[in-house]
Amino acid sequence: MARVVVDPIPRIEGHLRIEVEIEGGKVKDAWSSGTLFRGLEIILQGRDPRDAHLLTQRSCGVCTLVHSLASVRAVENALKIEIPPNARIIRNLTHAAQNAHDHPVHFYQLCALDWVDVVSALKADPKKTSDLSGNVSGRPQTKKYYEALKGKLKAFVDSGQLGPFANAYWGHPAYKLPPEANLMAVGHYLDNLRQQVLAAQMTAIWGAKNPHLQGHLPGGVTVVEQINADRIAEYLYMLREQIKFIEEVYIPDLLAVASFYKDWTKIGGNKNFLSYGDFPQGPKEPDDFYFPRGMIVGGKLELVKVDPTKITEDVTRAWYEGDKPLYPGVGETKPLSGEKLKGAVPDTTSKDGKYSWLKAPRYDGMPMEVGPLAQCLTSYVGGNKEIKETVDGVLKKLQVGPEALFSTLGRIAARGIKCLVNTKQAEKWCMDLIENVKKGDMKTFTSYKLDESTNGEGYGLNDVARGSLGHWINIEKGKIKNYQQVVPSTWNLGPTDGKGQKGPVENALIGTPVADPKKPLEILRTVHSFDPCIACAVHVIDPHTNEVYKFRVS
Amino acid sequence: MDKPIELPDRLAEKGVSRRDFMKFCGFMAAVLGLPASFAPKIAHAVAKKRPTVVWIHLAECTGCLESFIRTTYPWAADIILDTIDLAYCETVMAAAGDQAEQVLEGVVEKQKGQYICIAEGAIPTKDNGAYGKIAGKTFVEIAKHVCGNAAATICVGTCSSYGGVQAAKPNPTEAKPVSEVIGKPTVNIPGCPPNADNMVATIVHYLLLGKLPALDSKGRPLFAYGYLIHDNCPRRGHFENESFVKEFGDEGAAKGYCLYKVGCRGPETYNNCSIIKWNQGVNWPIGAGHPCIGCSEPKFWDEMAPFYVGKG
């Protein structure tokens, strides 16, 4: 039996350590550790509630604006503010643009190198690569193009300065793509590095800048006069360009790569999924969400209703004090320090040994996977027509059944499906905005009172690029008394709980084949399929207080 | 390889003409505030063997790297593959675990005093730095080792420059800026995040002149931080005319009036946002009707907040 530690896990946001025990060429047990703690919730206490969306946004520069969205919704929920339709649409459009940016970046820049062997691309025949691109890609390239690309790659490798491609697992037996597919993918890896600049510009049209937008505010959005024909057209035409990229490049590549790795439809799956739902089409949440709120339990394809009061967090194996799972609003949590922390050295071997800065969120005591796969599954059974059609189309194309979705590959495919549906839907929302402007409705902000007499409790539950994101706020005398974030990567990458139940990533890793424990490429595949974002995940706590905060969630 | 391939040849291989390249160099000279005659020198500097750069992620959110890859002309891929040798950067590198750490250690050992370190994020120092680790080593150890042995450390973002969000009151992990932990001055490109153009321009300045750009007293390149947002703000006229947004959603907001009364910190913030704007000029905070929050100033999370309350 071999113990393997992969630290750092590269090509994710944040600092993640994965430890696995390997027996008979397969993962027998796994431990996921977040190795950074920043303490943003403590910093939020006593501040102006309107500032929270700016501060929480700094949880993550990759997810960036989604924390702003969750935060303004939490404040609006607490203060009973209903935002104008234009503000709702602008937020949806900016959020959709964020997803249109985020998912292709995940596919190409963060996870592709687990499946694409860059060095193998040097053996590609440019003519055959051109033929391949003509067969599978919506953007076929000429033989000449691939000759130049291969030449560029060769010059790069020959320079001896391999930069970010140095010392990786090239040549590993688990790489299955032919050289030509690898060369095509390398081309698209570089293309998306450019394309993502455009997608980010879309978020800046009404969000001011990317990363870290400055355009939301509890009560609505700050743009007014820039909701004009010029700006709407700018968004719309950029959006159409991004849709084309997703349809012509991202989805075909996803299908092409998947067709060589169908064995990964049987590896890395979970059974429980939670989705908060998102993209409000009207003022009522969650009823008006485009992607519905719901759960899949035990792998059964039926929609189970979500009761947010059943969410708890467990700290048995995390570096915090506390002995029972608690509702996130009841923040009785203290990080270990000094003697008790003992330098935060992960202890995965002793019973109840602590090994992570992430807590373990549970729904009704169960670990739940969140993310695009959860969104697709709940939307599939929850009556979202576009998701159902796209999922069915992809399954048919790959000649696999719905059970294939419960896997590492299913997770990667679901991200592409959700990205496509979400981005195309944004075009419709753009038209809604045009109709409003035509009617002369320019209202983007609802004013409200916030002073020393203001008290309130609320939450904002979103479904964002990486999954279900919740912010809880308690406002007292016009200031933040308590603030809690329970984020997607905490759900997915949190540790084992007090009952010994593994977190979703840990569970998904068990059974994963590992050909060479010194080069655990297969582990990266499953971990990356969750699109981990650890900076968000490690400050979901309120370490300096013993106070019990009560939240009522109805 | 017996001799390195010259940059123009490398560019030609991917269809970039010498003329395109010179255009890029002219753009960089403009961003740096250099006369156009510097352009040929930039071309020369960039054509040498690619200098090694390591990018370390500390207590941060990766927003600075995300901002960096929003650059165009040069595009991020062109910088990473043609201009510098980005030997270590957790967010983009293919290698993992031990193999990744070997690369970093190899650079520090073999190129001591010759590589550039770009640092993103602050350093938690409480409990000997136990709140932030990579491969079992604390950020304190990593920064001392990697930044300490670099030719220069460029701090990108307000976190590595000044401590940033995790160092905001009450600073639970006792997070500190990189310079304070390593005991050496750093070039600081603050901002939350900094504009890609300012990061790229600083790197090219180093490549061109073999030295760091002129800095102000806070370690910031003057070419970017020598301006007050307010002085170049398109809404400055409204300020002078005392035409203010008094409340979000009011008539003044619809007319694009000055945001000073609803909290704009442009008058006390040194940065070039009002000149170069964001994301290829698509927009910027004040353009979107949102006050400047002063994100490139030290301690802005404490000193500029509450953000929506006007000081005037």
Side-chain angles (χ1 to χ4, degrees):
Chain A
M1 199 140 57
R3 281 253 178 175
V4 176
V5 175
V6 189
D7 180 7
I9 296 281
R11 286 175 280 124
I12 61 163
E13 196 295 322
H15 302 290
L16 177 67
R17 171 192 194 270
I18 295 285
E19 181 172 342
V20 294
E21 202 168 76
I22 296 170
E23 193 176 66
K26 283 188 173 173
V27 174
K28 194 184 165 217
D29 209 346
W31 298 268
S32 160
S33 310
T35 63
L36 166 68
F37 165 68
R38 295 200 294 162
L40 296 194
E41 279 83 353
I42 315 161
I43 293 164
L44 280 159
Q45 287 171 17
R47 288 177 187 262
D48 187 321
R50 293 170 298 178
D51 290 356
H53 82 100
L54 294 165
L55 206 141
T56 58
Q57 197 174 189
R58 271 68 187 183
S59 298
C60 184
V62 180
C63 316
T64 187
L65 60 91
V66 301
H67 285 282
S68 171
L69 198 54
S71 184
V72 292
R73 281 189 188 168
V75 176
E76 285 154 6
N77 183 250
L79 302 183
K80 311 280 179 279
I81 304 163
E82 189 176 312
I83 63 169
N86 282 339
R88 173 178 56 75
I89 297 169
I90 293 281
R91 286 181 186 179
N92 281 348
L93 290 174
T94 307
H95 183 189
Q98 165 70 11
N99 285 343
H101 174 273
D102 198 305
H103 294 320
V105 167
H106 176 265
F107 182 74
Y108 288 105
Q109 272 64 49
L110 303 181
C111 104
L113 301 181
D114 301 340
W115 311 90
V116 173
D117 185 337
V118 175
V119 175
S120 149
L122 291 171
K123 296 191 207 113
D125 177 328
K127 169 77 173 65
K128 283 188 192 161
T129 312
S130 172
D131 294 345
L132 175 72
S133 80
N135 285 334
V136 304
S137 179
R139 294 200 187 168
Q141 294 282 8
T142 60
K143 171 171 168 267
K144 203 174 164 198
Y145 167 86
Y146 283 115
E147 274 170 357
L149 179 65
K150 189 180 162 184
K152 180 185 175 182
L153 193 61
K154 187 171 184 307
F156 182 79
V157 171
D158 287 347
S159 77
Q161 291 184 297
L162 293 180
F165 302 116
N167 224 21
Y169 303 146
W170 312 129
H172 192 287
Y175 282 118
K176 296 280 168 62
L177 297 184
E180 287 74 22
N182 284 318
L183 185 61
M184 186 178 81
V186 168
H188 293 160
Y189 173 99
L190 296 173
D191 288 347
N192 191 57
L193 259 178
R194 287 194 172 207
Q195 186 68 27
Q196 57 88 25
V197 173
L198 175 108
Q201 288 172 355
M202 277 158 47
T203 69
I205 291 173
W206 294 301
K209 72 198 234 291
N210 178 303
H212 295 332
L213 110 170
Q214 257 167 261
H216 290 159
L217 185 71
V221 293
T222 59
V223 281
V224 193
E225 92 281 16
Q226 291 205 357
I227 302 178
N228 54 37
D230 185 28
R231 284 305 212 181
I232 296 171
E234 190 179 7
Y235 181 94
L236 191 59
Y237 282 83
M238 284 180 172
L239 182 78
R240 285 176 177 164
E241 200 175 320
Q242 186 66 14
I243 291 170
K244 268 172 88 94
F245 182 82
I246 294 165
E247 286 184 329
E248 294 177 356
V249 185
Y250 177 18
I251 299 295
D253 279 359
L254 182 62
L255 293 170
V257 170
S259 67
F260 284 95
Y261 290 103
K262 280 196 206 166
D263 47 333
W264 283 84
T265 60
K266 297 184 179 67
I267 299 166
N270 281 311
K271 299 285 184 207
N272 294 339
F273 299 87
L274 165 70
S275 178
Y276 290 157
D278 214 324
F279 293 97
Q281 307 295 295
K284 275 184 79 184
E285 296 187 12
D287 304 4
D288 291 339
F289 282 163
Y290 175 71
F291 292 122
R293 180 171 295 173
M295 292 185 297
I296 300 290
V297 179
K300 261 196 261 172
L301 281 176
E302 57 187 42
L303 196 68
V304 179
K305 211 168 175 280
V306 177
D307 172 5
T309 62
K310 291 190 174 168
I311 296 166
T312 56
E313 290 190 292
D314 180 293
V315 295
T316 310
R317 308 297 300 269
W319 284 304
Y320 305 100
E321 290 184 10
D323 54 8
K324 59 173 191 275
L326 292 171
Y327 176 66
V330 192
E332 189 187 315
T333 43
K334 289 197 290 183
L336 301 181
S337 64
E339 279 299 297
K340 284 184 179 168
L341 183 59
K342 285 180 255 170
V345 178
D347 175 7
T348 57
T349 51
S350 48
K351 187 182 179 300
D352 291 352
K354 292 178 182 289
Y355 62 90
S356 183
W357 284 114
L358 276 66
K359 292 207 252 174
R362 297 291 182 261
Y363 181 88
D364 205 11
M366 298 179 290
M368 307 298 288
E369 175 175 336
V370 301
L373 176 55
Q375 289 169 3
C376 275
L377 291 171
T378 51
S379 295
Y380 189 91
V381 296
N384 181 306
K385 194 169 128 276
E386 293 84 6
I387 285 283
K388 185 160 190 318
E389 281 172 10
T390 314
V391 168
D392 286 341
V394 166
L395 293 177
K396 197 176 163 200
K397 189 121 189 167
L398 290 175
Q399 297 170 312
V400 292
E403 69 284 351
L405 289 166
F406 297 85
S407 68
T408 294
L409 195 63
R411 205 172 280 123
I412 294 170
R415 188 168 289 109
I417 292 166
K418 182 213 143 194
C419 180
L420 176 64
V421 170
N422 193 182
T423 312
K424 283 170 83 169
Q425 205 60 26
E427 192 166 343
K428 183 186 163 293
W429 301 331
C430 217
M431 298 306 161
D432 295 343
L433 184 64
I434 293 170
E435 286 308 310
N436 281 357
V437 172
K438 259 191 199 170
K439 281 187 285 182
D441 177 8
M442 295 300 288
K443 195 167 155 51
T444 59
F445 182 77
T446 303
S447 59
Y448 51 91
K449 187 174 78 93
L450 179 70
D451 58 26
E452 284 172 7
S453 68
T454 306
N455 299 308
E457 296 166 356
Y459 60 85
L461 303 181
N462 300 4
D463 235 300
V464 302
R466 288 171 180 77
S468 299
L469 168 67
H471 284 203
W472 279 260
I473 191 168
N474 186 351
I475 300 166
E476 200 175 272
K477 294 178 183 165
K479 303 274 189 228
I480 296 169
K481 181 161 189 225
N482 191 33
Y483 202 100
Q484 302 284 331
Q485 294 169 256
V486 182
V487 313
S489 291
T490 319
W491 281 103
N492 285 338
L493 287 112
T496 307
D497 61 29
K499 288 196 267 179
Q501 298 181 105
K502 293 264 147 197
V505 162
E506 295 177 335
N507 184 60
L509 280 169
I510 294 171
T512 297
V514 179
D516 178 357
K518 292 199 179 78
K519 294 178 177 175
L521 174 66
E522 302 90 338
I523 288 171
L524 292 185
R525 286 180 178 173
T526 293
V527 172
H528 281 149
S529 72
F530 284 88
D531 192 4
C533 198
I534 303 303
C536 298
V538 287
H539 31 65
V540 294
I541 39 180
D542 173 12
H544 275 196
T545 172
N546 279 321
E547 204 164 344
V548 177
Y549 299 107
K550 288 225 160 51
F551 280 85
R552 195 181 62 255
V553 181
S554 52
Chain B
M1 294 296 295
D2 292 327
K3 73 182 185 63
I5 302 172
E6 293 302 316
L7 183 72
D9 299 333
R10 281 193 261 138
L11 290 170
E13 272 168 17
K14 53 174 211 161
V16 175
S17 68
R18 174 169 289 275
R19 192 164 164 273
D20 289 339
F21 180 59
M22 294 314 292
K23 245 166 76 183
F24 147 60
C25 294
F27 170 78
M28 291 316 302
V31 171
L32 287 163
L34 300 172
S37 59
F38 272 67
K41 291 189 183 169
I42 293 179
H44 176 71
V46 177
K48 285 182 189 167
K49 189 177 160 76
R50 292 177 288 136
T52 301
V53 175
V54 298
W55 185 306
I56 54 172
H57 293 282
L58 303 163
E60 44 82 303
C61 75
T62 315
C64 301
L65 180 85
E66 281 283 336
S67 182
F68 180 79
I69 67 168
R70 306 287 188 264
T71 173
T72 58
Y73 307 102
W75 297 82
D78 299 346
I79 298 174
I80 295 169
L81 302 180
D82 292 335
T83 311
I84 62 170
D85 178 37
L86 185 65
Y88 182 90
C89 175
E90 275 183 87
T91 312
V92 297
M93 69 194 298
D98 292 348
Q99 282 88 348
E101 292 313 289
Q102 282 163 14
V103 171
L104 181 60
E105 202 43 47
V107 171
V108 176
E109 262 177 38
K110 290 178 198 145
Q111 300 187 56
K112 194 173 170 173
Q114 293 165 38
Y115 63 91
I116 299 169
C117 177
I118 297 179
E120 177 176 358
I123 301 174
T125 63
K126 194 185 169 191
D127 286 323
N128 295 317
Y131 296 91
K133 290 186 187 185
I134 301 166
K137 287 178 287 228
T138 64
F139 293 170
V140 174
E141 293 167 318
I142 292 165
K144 282 183 177 169
H145 184 59
V146 179
C147 304
N149 286 304
T153 297
I154 300 174
C155 287
V156 290
T158 303
C159 295
S160 56
S161 298
Y162 307 126
V165 66
Q166 47 279 309
K169 285 173 187 165
N171 193 354
T173 60
E174 292 167 27
K176 291 184 175 166
V178 171
S179 58
E180 218 173 290
V181 171
I182 66 171
K184 283 183 179 178
T186 54
V187 178
N188 297 326
I189 310 177
C192 195
N195 201 316
D197 291 350
N198 293 337
M199 290 187 267
V200 172
T202 303
I203 292 166
V204 175
H205 189 286
Y206 186 84
L207 298 174
L208 163 65
L209 301 172
K211 63 179 182 184
L212 299 167
L215 308 174
D216 69 8
S217 62
K218 289 169 180 163
R220 304 183 286 201
L222 278 164
F223 72 80
Y225 302 92
Y227 312 89
L228 270 179
I229 298 268
H230 191 52
D231 288 348
N232 297 290
C233 182
R235 297 192 182 195
R236 180 64 185 262
H238 293 304
F239 176 86
E240 301 299 341
N241 292 334
E242 298 188 10
S243 303
F244 295 107
V245 176
K246 296 188 182 76
E247 192 198 357
F248 289 101
D250 72 4
E251 206 190 327
K255 287 181 173 166
Y257 283 174
C258 174
L259 295 157
Y260 186 60
K261 300 280 186 194
V262 287
C264 187
R265 307 296 184 232
E268 41 192 324
T269 302
Y270 287 89
N271 209 332
N272 55 0
C273 303
S274 48
I275 303 169
I276 66 172
K277 304 196 168 63
W278 276 82
N279 302 89
Q280 292 71 44
V282 166
N283 214 341
W284 71 299
I286 292 170
H290 192 289
C292 165
I293 62 169
C295 75
S296 50
E297 292 297 315
K299 298 186 179 167
F300 81 95
W301 290 108
D302 293 324
E303 291 174 2
M304 302 291 187
F307 295 110
Y308 299 107
V309 177
K311 288 187 173 178

